[in-house]
């Protein structure tokens, strides 16, 4: 009926859905949305229709996106044990430490456990990387990103 190819219609629908989902994710204001679509070169009437479509549906789009987000496991507790092998038949004086961690996680009401084993130097490196990541979360840039994700 439109005398347009199937690919053109498909790309148009995909582009429109991308525009609405990304705008809803970022919760951009009316002015920012208008500036974003003004660049596309549409008529003023079409720009107003797109703005009204965005304003009418952004809360519903956000709720659907939050339902589609993966439910990641959450931390419950941690058990750990330090094992040290002091000698073996072939080597009478050796020190071979190993740290065993049992990580208890909650996911959808179910509790699971993951057992991990590492040497102390790798564990120290992991701790340093996690502390660095926590320090990054305190920067203004990360705070802005987290604020926009909510």
């Amino acid at each position: 009926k439109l005398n347009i190819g199937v690919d053109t219609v498909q790309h148009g629908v995909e582009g429109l859905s991308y525009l609405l989902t990304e705008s809803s994710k970022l919760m951009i204001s009316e002015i920012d949305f208008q500036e974003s679509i003004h660049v596309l070169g549409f008529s003023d009437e079409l720009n107003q229709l797109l703005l009204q479509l965005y304003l009418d549906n952004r809360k519903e789009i956000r709720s659907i996106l939050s339902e589609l987000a993966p439910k990641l496991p959450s931390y419950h507790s941690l058990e750990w044990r330090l094992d040290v092998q002091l000698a073996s038949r072939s080597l009478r004086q050796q020190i071979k430490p190993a740290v065993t961690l049992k990580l208890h996680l909650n996911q959808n009401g179910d509790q699971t456990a993951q057992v991990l084993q590492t040497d102390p130097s790798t564990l120290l490196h992991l701790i340093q990387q996690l502390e660095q990541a926590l320090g990054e979360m305190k920067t203004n840039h990360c705070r802005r990103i987290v604020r926009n994700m909510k």
Side-chain angles (χ1 to χ4, degrees):
K1 289 182 178 181
L2 298 175
N3 293 330
I4 299 174
V6 175
D7 290 337
T8 306
V9 173
Q10 181 179 354
H11 292 308
V13 170
E14 288 172 355
L16 183 60
S17 64
Y18 181 78
L19 173 71
L20 292 175
T21 55
E22 291 301 312
S23 299
S24 298
K25 265 189 222 177
L26 299 173
M27 282 297 286
I28 63 175
S29 66
E30 293 180 35
I31 297 167
D32 291 337
F33 186 82
Q34 285 177 332
E35 289 176 359
S36 299
I37 61 175
H38 182 70
V39 175
L40 298 174
F42 295 136
S43 66
D44 289 338
E45 181 182 333
L46 185 56
N47 287 346
Q48 288 301 319
L49 285 172
L50 287 173
L51 175 64
Q52 194 59 43
L53 181 68
Y54 167 67
L55 293 175
D56 291 344
N57 295 307
R58 71 177 162 191
K59 289 184 180 174
E60 185 177 351
I61 292 170
R62 282 184 66 80
S63 68
I64 291 170
L65 289 175
S66 67
E67 290 174 10
L68 293 176
K71 305 288 189 247
L72 298 174
S74 61
Y75 170 81
H76 181 262
S77 65
L78 176 74
E79 298 175 40
W80 62 276
R81 182 180 73 211
L82 177 64
D83 296 323
V84 180
Q85 183 178 356
L86 297 174
S88 66
R89 288 183 189 173
S90 59
L91 293 170
R92 295 188 184 242
Q93 292 186 356
Q94 79 177 45
I95 297 176
K96 188 176 176 185
V99 178
T100 305
L101 305 167
K102 188 173 186 181
L103 185 61
H104 297 275
L105 304 170
N106 291 330
Q107 186 171 21
N108 299 331
D110 297 330
Q111 197 172 57
T112 59
Q114 297 288 327
V115 178
L116 310 165
Q117 188 171 27
T118 185
D119 59 304
S121 62
T122 305
L123 183 61
L124 285 173
H125 178 69
L126 180 63
I127 290 169
Q128 289 171 349
Q129 291 297 312
L130 289 172
E131 286 175 347
Q132 182 181 358
L134 285 173
E136 276 289 319
M137 285 302 298
K138 294 178 183 175
T139 63
N140 288 334
H141 179 70
C142 285
R143 286 182 186 166
R144 227 177 294 125
I145 290 172
V146 170
R147 189 173 47 242
N148 286 331
M149 285 177 25
K150 294 179 182 179

